Structures are given as structure tokens and as C-alpha cells.
């Protein structure tokens, strides 16, 4: 079986409405892309918690609709344009989509990832390249954190470089649970993960079970009502984004035990100073390492010395 994609380049004002109209008149699926992707005019959309973009569209948007091969694509476009009141029919092109083994194709895009000195993140359909390494079996999913993003890698490398035998660890904003699992595998005792997304909590718990890691995961409300409500941890790691990290400075700092370490990532190099300034009343932070324009900040509670970069 084959399908046909309709590709329409259109102004931002009409992208969302046209997408909905295309679905109404028979498209199987619709996506919106940046028509300037790969050029100097490309504009990434970032959705930090509480600051999500109001619409997933760009000034110069590309709407891509998947249709059955036997459909009349011109009729579909005309019907959608008429439904939203466009004065003129938008120009469009079509491209054929052949049937493929989509599962195999998707899997081929995810190979084992080597991180730090000895960590391997291995999808379930691959063999671990080094059976003696620190192996995390982890499939790409809906929760953030597979080891491919620099912010995740930086935190994983810090945890590997600072093993925590018997220590307590809090992974705040745990996503897939990958950082909590690394902490557990480098010797941590009690490890706790927290995330605002129920789907992330479910994914993290499944990943922990698959990797034989005993980790407790909580939503913020249940965390606040658990036995950990007032607990301070030897290591607190948070890989989120700069805006929420700054807002959470008193809370995250308050979770660090005396002499304990705080590690933050999800911070661009140009944001490092302002994030460190937000934490300065509580804990002195410095850049531990930088990768592809992202940094990891770290510091120890009770130390007046700003840690030097790696």
C-alpha cells in the first residue's frame, strides 16, 4: 500500500486552521514544519514548562498532509481552503510515500550511544558493544532522556566521574529516569525521581524495572506527601531548562544535604551566569563542563568556593 503527501507552504496565520481543515476533509494525518528549516531563517520553537508556544507554527510554515493514494489531492486542498475561507487556493505539491517496515526503519535510526568512559545506552533490539560497560537498556519513548542530548550526557558524565556509593540521590525532572539509573548503577543507595508528567513517571518506572534498578518515582504532589517530604539528599540533579531552574532555586537548594552536591543542566552557556546568580544565596555554582553550547553547573552546599570547570 502507498500514500500521497500533500505539501503546502503557507503563512503562520493560516497554518493551524488549515491543518485542522485538512483533517476534517479526509487527510489521515497532518504535521506543521518550519519551511525555513536548514536555512539562516530557521526559527526553533522552545516550550519550557509554563512558557509553551501558543501554536506550533512558524512565520513561514509548511503543512504536510498524508492522504490515501487514490484520493483526489486537489479536491482535498480546495475543500480545506474553502472551509477556512481562503480567498485563493494555496499552491501545493505532492509526493509519494511507499509502504515500508516502519518499525525496522525507526529502529535503524537508534544505535547504542557511548557516554563518558564506560556508559552505554543500548536500545532493546541491539547487543551491548561492551558487555563490561555500565549498560542501560533504554528505548526511545515519550519521556525525555535517551543520552543523545548534550544536557543528559553532561549529567551522566558527572555522575560517572563522581560515584556515590551508598549516598542518597534525587533526580528532579527525571523524564525517562536515565540519570537516576546511572546514579544507582554507580553505587548510590536510595534514589528518588520526580517529574510533573505522569507519562514520564510511568516510563521511568518501567525503565528502572527493566534495568533492575530500585528507584522510587513520584509526581510533585505525591512526593511532597511521601516519606521523602522533608528529606535532603547527598546529590540532587536537575536536567530541566533555565527558566524553571531559576524559579526552583530555593526548593532545589533546600533539598541538598550539608556538604552535598547540586548538578544542574538544561542551561545554555550564555545562561550559566544568570542561573548561577539565582542559586548564589543558597549554594555557589560553577560550570563543570560544556558540550555543544550547553553546560552543566555544579556546587557543594556549605562551600564558599565556586567550583572550577572540568
Amino acid at each position: 500500500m502507498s500514500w500521497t503527501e500533500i505539501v503546502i507552504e503557507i503563512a503562520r496565520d493560516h497554518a493551524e486552521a488549515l491543518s485542522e481543515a485538512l483533517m476534517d476533509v479526509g487527510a489521515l494525518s497532518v504535521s506543521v514544519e518550519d519551511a525555513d528549516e536548514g536555512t539562516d531563517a530557521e526559527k526553533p520553537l522552545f516550550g519550557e514548562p509554563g512558557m509553551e508556544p501558543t501554536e506550533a507554527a512558524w512565520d513561514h510554515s509548511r503543512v504536510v498532509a498524508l492522504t490515501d493514494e487514490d484520493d483526489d489531492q486537489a479536491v482535498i486542498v480546495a475543500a480545506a481552503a474553502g472551509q477556512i475561507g481562503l480567498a485563493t487556493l494555496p499552491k501545493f505539491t505532492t509526493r509519494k510515500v511507499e509502504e515500508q517496515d516502519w518499525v525496522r526503519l525507526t529502529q535503524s535510526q537508534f544505535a547504542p550511544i557511548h557516554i563518558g568512559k564506560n556508559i552505554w545506552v543500548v536500545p532493546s533490539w541491539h547487543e551491548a558493544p561492551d558487555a563490561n560497560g555500565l549498560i542501560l537498556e533504554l528505548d526511545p519513548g515519550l519521556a525525555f532522556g535517551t543520552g543523545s542530548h548534550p544536557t543528559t550526557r553532561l549529567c551522566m558524565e558527572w555522575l560517572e566521574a563522581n560515584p556515590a556509593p551508598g549516598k542518597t540521590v534525587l533526580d528532579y525532572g527525571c523524564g525517562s529516569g536515565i540519570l537516576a539509573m546511572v546514579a544507582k548503577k554507580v553505587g548510590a543507595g536510595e534514589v528518588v525521581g520526580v517529574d510533573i508528567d505522569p507519562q514520564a513517571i510511568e516510563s521511568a518506572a518501567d525503565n528502572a524495572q527493566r534495568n533492575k534498578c530500585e528507584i522510587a518515582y513520584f509526581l510533585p504532589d505525591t512526593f511532597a506527601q511521601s516519606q521523602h517530604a522533608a528529606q535532603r539528599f547527598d546529590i540532587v540533579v536537575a536536567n530541566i531548562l533555565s527558566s524553571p531552574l531559576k524559579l526552583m532555586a530555593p526548593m532545589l537548594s533546600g533539598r541538598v544535604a550539608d556538604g552535598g552536591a547540586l548538578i544542574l543542566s538544561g542551561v545554555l552557556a550564555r545562561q550559566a551566569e544568570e542561573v548561577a546568580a539565582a542559586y548564589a544565596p543558597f549554594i555557589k555554582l560553577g560550570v563543570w563542563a560544556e558540550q555543544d553550547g550547553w553546560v552543566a553547573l555544579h556546587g557543594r552546599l556549605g562551600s564558599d568556593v565556586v567550583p572550577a570547570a572540568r
Side-chain angles (χ1 to χ4, degrees):
M1 183 177 180
S2 299
W3 298 268
T4 299
E5 283 185 333
I6 302 170
V7 183
I8 306 168
E9 295 195 4
I10 197 164
R12 180 192 190 107
D13 293 346
H14 300 302
E16 189 171 341
L18 182 62
S19 299
E20 294 176 358
L22 285 165
M23 289 295 295
D24 288 344
V25 299
L28 302 174
S29 67
V30 179
S31 62
V32 182
E33 306 168 353
D34 185 356
D36 294 319
E37 182 181 1
T39 72
D40 292 341
E42 180 179 0
K43 294 181 179 179
L45 294 181
F46 295 112
E48 299 189 9
M51 301 176 62
E52 295 85 355
T54 55
E55 55 182 341
W58 291 262
D59 293 339
H60 186 199
S61 292
R62 180 186 298 118
V63 176
V64 181
L66 183 70
T67 65
D68 284 326
E69 184 181 29
D70 296 333
D71 287 343
D72 188 326
Q73 284 72 39
V75 170
I76 288 176
V77 174
Q83 182 170 306
I84 64 172
L86 290 181
T88 58
L89 190 69
K91 294 181 180 179
F92 69 93
T93 58
T94 61
R95 57 195 183 199
K96 193 172 183 179
V97 180
E98 298 288 355
E99 184 173 18
Q100 299 188 53
D101 184 339
W102 294 106
V103 171
R104 189 179 298 274
L105 179 63
T106 300
Q107 289 180 347
S108 70
Q109 298 172 4
F110 296 96
I113 301 173
H114 187 210
I115 297 171
K117 294 181 179 179
N118 203 34
I119 301 173
W120 285 94
V121 181
V122 184
S124 58
W125 53 86
H126 279 283
E127 291 291 330
D130 179 3
N132 295 317
L134 190 162
I135 309 299
L136 297 170
E137 184 181 310
L138 191 68
D139 293 340
L142 296 177
F144 178 80
T146 61
S148 60
H149 197 276
T151 61
T152 310
R153 298 172 70 101
L154 286 166
C155 291
M156 293 171 72
E157 289 172 5
W158 189 97
L159 289 166
E160 183 186 35
N162 296 269
K167 293 186 177 180
T168 56
V169 177
L170 171 63
D171 176 8
Y172 206 95
C174 61
S176 69
I178 191 170
L179 300 181
M181 290 189 295
V182 171
K184 194 69 177 178
K185 285 181 176 284
V186 297
E190 184 179 44
V191 180
V192 177
V194 178
D195 202 285
I196 62 173
D197 184 357
Q199 209 159 35
I201 295 299
E202 182 178 349
S203 174
D206 289 343
N207 289 331
Q209 183 176 17
R210 181 191 302 183
N211 285 273
K212 298 179 173 59
C213 293
E214 186 178 342
I215 300 168
Y217 290 105
F218 299 92
L219 292 166
D221 288 347
T222 54
F223 179 59
Q225 297 167 9
S226 72
Q227 69 270 31
H228 307 286
Q231 184 175 350
R232 298 166 68 198
F233 295 80
D234 298 314
I235 296 174
V236 175
V237 57
N239 179 25
I240 311 178
L241 286 170
S242 63
S243 292
L245 283 175
K246 287 186 289 185
L247 291 173
M248 291 191 291
M251 184 273 291
L252 287 176
S253 301
R255 285 291 181 175
V256 183
D258 292 338
L262 176 64
I263 306 92
L264 306 178
S265 197
V267 180
L268 292 166
R270 59 180 171 79
Q271 299 169 329
E273 288 189 9
E274 62 188 63
V275 173
Y279 283 80
F282 315 103
I283 185 170
K284 302 297 182 183
L285 296 178
V287 173
W288 180 70
E290 179 177 346
Q291 192 175 113
D292 297 339
W294 298 89
V295 298
L297 300 172
H298 74 145
R300 290 198 174 273
L301 190 65
S303 173
D304 293 329
V305 178
V306 178
R310 181 178 63 175

